Amino acid sequence: MKKKLLSIFLMTAMVLALVSGCSGAKTQEPSAGTAQTDESGEGTQTDGESDEETNSDEIVNIYWQYPSPGELPPGFDDMEAALNEMMVKDIGVNVTFVPTNLDIAFQDATLMVSAGEQLDVAMTWGTLGQFLERGLIQPIDELLVASGKVDMLKENNSDPYALGSYDGHTYGVPAGNITYNVLSYNMKKSIAEKYNLTPNDETIYTLDEMEEIFQSIQDGEGTDLICQIPWNNTNEPLNYNFGEYDKFGGDLSYGVLMLNRGFDTTEIVNIFETSEYADYAQRMYEWAQKGWISPDAAVTTDTVADIVNRDGVVGYFGWGAPESSMLDNSEVKDGVVQFKIVDGYVRESSPFFSWVVPITSTNPEKALEAITYIYENKEAAWLIQFGLEGVSYDIVSEDGDMVVGEYKAEDVSDLPFYNVYGLWGNRLAWPTFGDTSPELNIKKAEYQKQYEAEGRVPRSAGYVFKSADVTSQIAAVQTVMAQYATSINCGALDPAKSLPEFNEALKAAGIDEIIAENQRQFDAWLAQQ
């Protein structure tokens, strides 16, 4: 089955700069059959129900941010109603989802909380520190202990840094289980077969080797080919295939640990000043001159999924898997083969995606209970992620933890409902779909342990940068990155001229001050470990 580019694993690592002047969250009216709320946030009469059926005074309405890439799917209301049928019965909670675009979820949450609007569950996306520095969220330590769900959450979330912590307090529940990243070049299977290319899962391919492969295919085809489809909505070089680095749960304005130089490194640097980035920028410029990158790559609104199936496109750099049988980001119609570029490693020093409880939650206990519910009840998580069973998908086999599903459409965009982000519940308890191995989730957990045992974890694991004293510099640096990074990453600018200008502008904006403050805090944190 085919999935869109914005797949489950794409969003576990994409980071966008803060956007100023954005609009507020789009709140959705409660679905028919769901509980209404009074000014206190407590539930009142449920539409279409009598007091004999449900004691509506005991129902608490929870407003929960719902990250979505755009217009809600037609089956959204049915999903929400089915979820509430479960949650009202089981825990006395009625959820009203508050749609937001993932890239402005923080801004939308900030506007709602600042206006005193009820918001019970919000999403952090590398923004945990920013939520805290603005006083927007509350600790959940005592609530977690009182709930008795700590062990359950750890069992259902393989994040080795599970439970988002800051200054010794727990503030969030991670919304993703897998923290390791494998990056690869995903080539159309038809092209790989035509040129007898059979990549080895045990091999890490260099960009020099990929260049030779691209050139041989272009020589064979006798025409220009698109070999690289840059993501133009993130500053990350080579769609994260640049190499191992850690950006401290934020973005590249914080500075990075260049883990490709060694996972024991503690020096924070400006990635755009490194020799590695200079070499990469020159390579992208040369690729663009060869026609391997589209001239409009920096400005097009088309996604990889839009582009990759066109004639004359070889493949794309993106997310990979420890072994080819686990690769499940097959946006290509006839499938892909994987050339592994970066082996698995734990990239983020703290949980990147987390569910947090804002200070305007009218019932934090029930907000946390709603969060833990989707980890403890896999059917609820499947419902929010995949929609209604029998409508959007079927379960075709089940053998213990190995559950295989089948979508009701060839393309998930044609389904009545599908969530592209994959932020719900225990992902290792999800069904597998399509040609993916039924043992996928078991293997994911095993590889996570392997990479940790191999020491492919940054020294910063568990550290959170407190950026309150350099927020103005961060905003200025993010503006500069937006001006230069995408164009350089797409080979649209000659780095001989643009890269020095870029770094000069970054320094003027204050990136050295940000890195110095981050380094100071990091060194102090290391000394206490």
Side-chain angles (χ1 to χ4, degrees):
M1 299 298 166
K2 311 302 184 279
K3 295 185 180 180
K4 289 296 186 182
L5 169 67
L6 292 177
S7 63
I8 294 166
F9 303 105
L10 171 63
M11 291 298 90
T12 60
M14 281 175 61
V15 181
L16 295 175
L18 291 180
V19 181
S20 60
C22 63
S23 61
K26 300 176 182 178
T27 56
Q28 177 178 309
E29 293 299 321
S31 303
T34 60
Q36 308 297 306
T37 58
D38 58 23
E39 293 181 356
S40 69
E42 296 296 319
T44 60
Q45 181 71 30
T46 303
D47 294 346
E49 292 187 8
S50 68
D51 288 328
E52 294 179 353
E53 294 172 322
T54 303
N55 185 350
S56 59
D57 290 337
E58 297 178 359
I59 299 173
V60 176
N61 197 48
I62 296 299
Y63 286 83
W64 191 329
Q65 270 195 324
Y66 178 86
S68 172
E71 185 177 348
L72 296 175
F76 179 85
D77 289 344
D78 292 337
M79 176 279 294
E80 188 182 61
L83 177 68
N84 282 319
E85 185 176 351
M86 297 171 61
M87 296 185 75
V88 167
K89 175 179 177 292
D90 292 344
I91 60 173
V93 166
N94 181 90
V95 171
T96 297
F97 284 121
V98 183
T100 179
N101 287 330
L102 188 58
D103 57 341
I104 59 171
F106 171 70
Q107 291 91 327
D108 281 350
T110 300
L111 290 172
M112 289 187 70
V113 176
S114 298
E117 295 182 46
Q118 180 184 348
L119 183 62
D120 300 279
V121 184
M123 164 59 61
T124 72
W125 189 24
T127 52
L128 177 62
Q130 295 173 54
F131 268 103
L132 280 162
E133 288 158 4
R134 289 161 177 78
L136 302 176
I137 59 177
Q138 53 189 292
I140 57 174
D141 311 67
E142 295 181 3
L143 296 179
L144 274 171
V145 173
S147 73
K149 303 293 186 182
V150 174
D151 289 340
M152 182 278 296
L153 285 173
K154 289 182 177 179
E155 290 172 2
N156 286 279
N157 196 317
S158 65
D159 183 343
Y161 323 113
L163 308 183
S165 298
Y166 194 93
D167 273 352
H169 294 285
T170 298
Y171 283 90
V173 176
N177 300 77
I178 299 301
T179 60
Y180 70 75
N181 295 260
V182 177
L183 291 310
S184 67
Y185 186 78
N186 301 316
M187 180 182 292
K188 287 181 179 178
K189 187 178 294 184
S190 58
I191 293 178
E193 291 175 348
K194 180 176 180 179
Y195 289 92
N196 196 29
L197 297 169
T198 307
N200 186 333
D201 280 338
E202 302 302 316
T203 301
I204 303 299
Y205 292 85
T206 67
L207 295 186
D208 286 339
E209 289 172 320
M210 295 311 302
E211 270 191 15
E212 293 177 4
I213 291 171
F214 295 158
Q215 190 63 60
S216 67
I217 295 172
Q218 186 171 45
D219 291 343
E221 296 295 299
T223 184
D224 288 345
L225 297 170
I226 300 297
C227 300
Q228 156 66 330
I229 310 172
W231 296 340
N232 59 12
N233 56 357
T234 175
N235 296 319
E236 311 296 335
L238 202 63
N239 305 359
Y240 293 98
N241 278 255
F242 171 79
E244 300 97 325
Y245 57 92
D246 173 33
K247 50 190 175 57
F248 302 97
D251 66 25
L252 297 175
S253 67
Y254 289 10
V256 303
L257 295 177
M258 294 294 289
L259 303 177
N260 65 306
R261 301 176 181 179
F263 279 83
D264 59 347
T265 183
T266 59
E267 180 186 8
I268 302 172
V269 300
N270 170 9
I271 194 172
F272 302 110
E273 273 193 319
T274 64
S275 59
E276 291 96 330
Y277 187 83
D279 291 344
Y280 154 78
Q282 180 61 32
R283 189 186 298 268
M284 291 303 102
Y285 183 67
E286 292 171 0
W287 285 12
Q289 303 307 301
K290 293 180 179 181
W292 293 354
I293 304 175
S294 173
D296 67 349
V299 296
T300 182
T301 58
D302 292 341
T303 67
V304 171
D306 294 326
I307 299 170
V308 69
N309 290 303
R310 298 171 186 168
D311 293 339
V313 177
V314 175
Y316 61 95
F317 288 92
W319 303 111
E323 55 188 75
S324 298
S325 64
M326 297 172 63
L327 193 66
D328 61 356
N329 59 342
S330 52
E331 288 85 14
V332 181
K333 290 179 181 178
D334 65 347
V336 298
V337 298
Q338 169 185 253
F339 293 81
K340 196 183 296 184
I341 305 297
V342 178
D343 202 4
Y345 75 105
V346 176
R347 183 167 56 89
E348 297 297 346
S349 55
S350 60
F352 194 62
F353 295 98
S354 293
W355 297 116
V356 293
V357 179
I359 57 173
T360 53
S361 172
T362 59
N363 196 318
E365 293 84 356
K366 283 295 185 181
L368 181 61
E369 189 172 7
I371 295 171
T372 59
Y373 182 86
I374 64 169
Y375 286 88
E376 197 166 22
N377 297 271
K378 63 182 182 181
E379 292 80 6
W382 295 0
L383 179 60
I384 309 173
Q385 176 61 39
F386 303 110
L388 276 66
E389 183 179 352
V391 177
S392 288
Y393 74 98
D394 291 318
I395 296 298
V396 297
S397 70
E398 193 164 357
D399 180 11
D401 294 332
M402 294 185 291
V403 182
V404 178
E406 184 176 73
Y407 294 120
K408 289 286 200 175
E410 179 75 6
D411 191 313
V412 294
S413 64
D414 296 326
L415 294 171
F417 178 86
Y418 179 78
N419 183 291
V420 299
Y421 289 138
L423 302 171
W424 305 97
N426 179 3
R427 295 199 313 212
L428 298 182
W430 286 359
T432 60
F433 289 87
D435 298 330
T436 305
S437 167
E439 298 180 345
L440 174 66
N441 293 325
I442 296 172
K443 288 183 177 181
K444 284 179 180 177
E446 291 174 348
Y447 275 108
Q448 174 105 352
K449 294 177 182 177
Q450 174 185 324
Y451 295 133
E452 292 169 28
E454 292 174 351
R456 293 180 64 77
V457 180
R459 289 283 305 279
S460 55
Y463 166 73
V464 178
F465 175 42
K466 306 164 193 174
S467 60
D469 292 339
V470 286
T471 52
S472 60
Q473 292 94 324
I474 289 172
V477 167
Q478 289 170 341
T479 298
V480 173
M481 289 196 302
Q483 180 181 355
Y484 284 94
T486 297
S487 294
I488 293 175
N489 290 342
C490 293
L493 297 176
D494 184 350
K497 179 176 183 296
S498 62
L499 190 53
E501 290 178 355
F502 182 20
N503 277 305
E504 183 178 346
L506 288 172
K507 288 181 179 297
I511 194 168
D512 290 341
E513 297 167 42
I514 301 168
I515 291 174
E517 176 60 20
N518 194 2
Q519 186 75 65
R520 182 190 68 78
Q521 293 181 29
F522 184 41
D523 289 343
W525 179 84
L526 284 169
Q528 296 174 355
Q529 302 309 300

